Amino acid sequence: RHAQMGAALSTRKGRESKSGPTSGVVNPQHASTRHSDVHVDLNDPEVSSAVREYAARVSRYTEADERWLRCHQDAKRLDANVRVVGVAARHAVTGHPVVLVTYPLRVAYDRSRAGRKGYSTHKWDSRKRDGRVPWTNTFWLVCPEVVSAVGRLEHAGLVRAFHAKFVVGDPTHDADAAATFAKQHARYAAFRWSLLSDEDKEHCEKEGYASVLRDCGVGGLRFVNQVKCLHLQYGHYLASGGDNVVGEWTRAELVRRGESIGQGEDASAPVDG
């Protein structure tokens, strides 16, 4: 039943992906009621090893990185209330950030934005005021050329095409890829949970946020057959050294189309190269 629900959520007509500064924000009123079929075992040696490998890839987020980001981030702009804790992938030639690592909790209410046109009040619980609420997008793709290139793939319908590979009964169904992707969701979730301090983990348990930050997958997805957004998947792929099958398919399609891949444009090189 969960798989069918995930399929319905991901293939709803006209909803290829979600973008914009509030992408990844979880309504705190709904966080404790979210159900997930992502299985995360924090004691699994494979999961623990992946968490260490992810962490080893993270470099310091510098003042130079921050200045570059202010000048170059247009589409998929990261909200200012999200805390950047490191850089998970850099461009092989320029050294600028390609994927950022963000902290799993963010400010719930921004008084400076509350009165502005377009402020999405349903994305925040104003009763929390300055409380901390879940931010599920651990890896945020920021290279403008790559963001635009991946966006073109989404507009070409590849979110739906890639999702179909995980749907039993679809002619393109790939059972091995689906099994691998389920494990990759779990590794993403375990790394996200590992970023929290002990105090913040207690806060999440108390507020019911653990169900979102520990038990949901890539970008907070609840079903292991969901794709939703190629920026999410490709960001995870680059940040993790290739641990995302949808990201792998995305890279292959970018290479086929001659698009920017965010790795020094050496299309023959592996993701770690």
Side-chain angles (χ1 to χ4, degrees), residues 10-272:
S10 298
T11 58
R12 190 170 296 169
K13 185 176 181 181
R15 300 289 292 182
E16 281 289 289
S17 67
K18 176 162 176 58
S19 61
T22 61
S23 208
V25 176
V26 177
N27 187 329
Q29 297 179 60
H30 299 162
S32 61
T33 60
R34 291 164 65 94
H35 300 289
S36 170
D37 69 359
V38 179
H39 177 67
V40 184
D41 181 358
L42 299 177
N43 296 316
D44 183 336
E46 181 181 309
V47 171
S48 300
S49 176
V51 168
R52 291 191 296 270
E53 290 175 9
Y54 283 21
R57 301 180 64 84
V58 179
S59 61
R60 188 168 64 90
Y61 180 61
T62 67
E63 291 182 1
D65 293 332
E66 186 175 4
R67 288 194 298 271
W68 179 89
L69 196 64
R70 284 199 300 266
C71 296
H72 293 87
Q73 195 178 18
D74 297 314
K76 291 295 217 182
R77 181 176 294 275
L78 184 63
D79 193 280
N81 288 333
V82 174
R83 178 155 63 96
V84 177
V85 297
V87 179
R90 293 182 180 276
H91 194 280
V93 175
T94 66
H96 68 61
V98 175
V99 182
L100 301 179
V101 182
T102 62
Y103 198 67
L105 291 173
R106 53 153 291 154
V107 175
Y109 183 76
D110 185 351
R111 292 187 179 88
S112 68
R113 295 177 58 189
R116 296 183 187 178
K117 182 179 179 180
Y119 180 77
S120 184
T121 54
H122 76 281
K123 290 292 184 183
W124 290 268
D125 183 348
S126 60
R127 294 173 299 179
K128 293 285 184 183
R129 293 295 170 176
D130 296 325
R132 296 158 295 164
V133 297
W135 173 260
T136 57
N137 288 339
T138 301
F139 301 120
W140 192 267
L141 192 63
V142 294
C143 178
E145 292 81 9
V146 180
V147 168
S148 296
V150 173
R152 286 190 283 273
L153 297 188
E154 290 188 340
H155 286 299
L158 289 183
V159 172
R160 187 165 298 172
F162 290 161
H163 167 72
K165 295 175 182 287
F166 302 132
V167 178
V168 175
D170 189 274
T172 65
H173 178 242
D174 186 332
D176 290 338
T180 298
F181 194 47
K183 293 180 179 180
Q184 291 168 338
H185 272 294
R187 293 194 282 268
Y188 184 111
F191 178 73
R192 181 175 56 220
W193 186 250
S194 76
L195 293 174
L196 291 165
S197 66
D198 290 341
E199 178 184 355
D200 283 343
K201 286 177 182 176
E202 291 181 9
H203 169 74
C204 290
E205 295 282 6
K206 178 182 176 182
E207 297 291 336
Y209 299 159
S211 62
V212 173
L213 296 178
R214 185 190 59 210
D215 303 327
C216 288
V218 177
L221 296 178
R222 293 177 288 161
F223 303 102
V224 294
N225 69 353
Q226 282 185 282
V227 174
K228 184 180 179 182
C229 173
L230 298 187
H231 296 90
L232 279 177
Q233 309 298 344
Y234 194 54
H236 179 209
Y237 172 82
L238 293 176
S240 64
D243 194 30
N244 187 300
V245 294
V246 176
E248 182 179 349
W249 298 336
T250 299
R251 182 184 186 276
E253 189 62 25
L254 290 173
V255 170
R256 188 184 73 80
R257 294 173 180 232
E259 295 273 21
S260 177
I261 59 174
Q263 299 170 262
E265 314 320 308
D266 182 357
S268 64
V271 70
D272 285 320

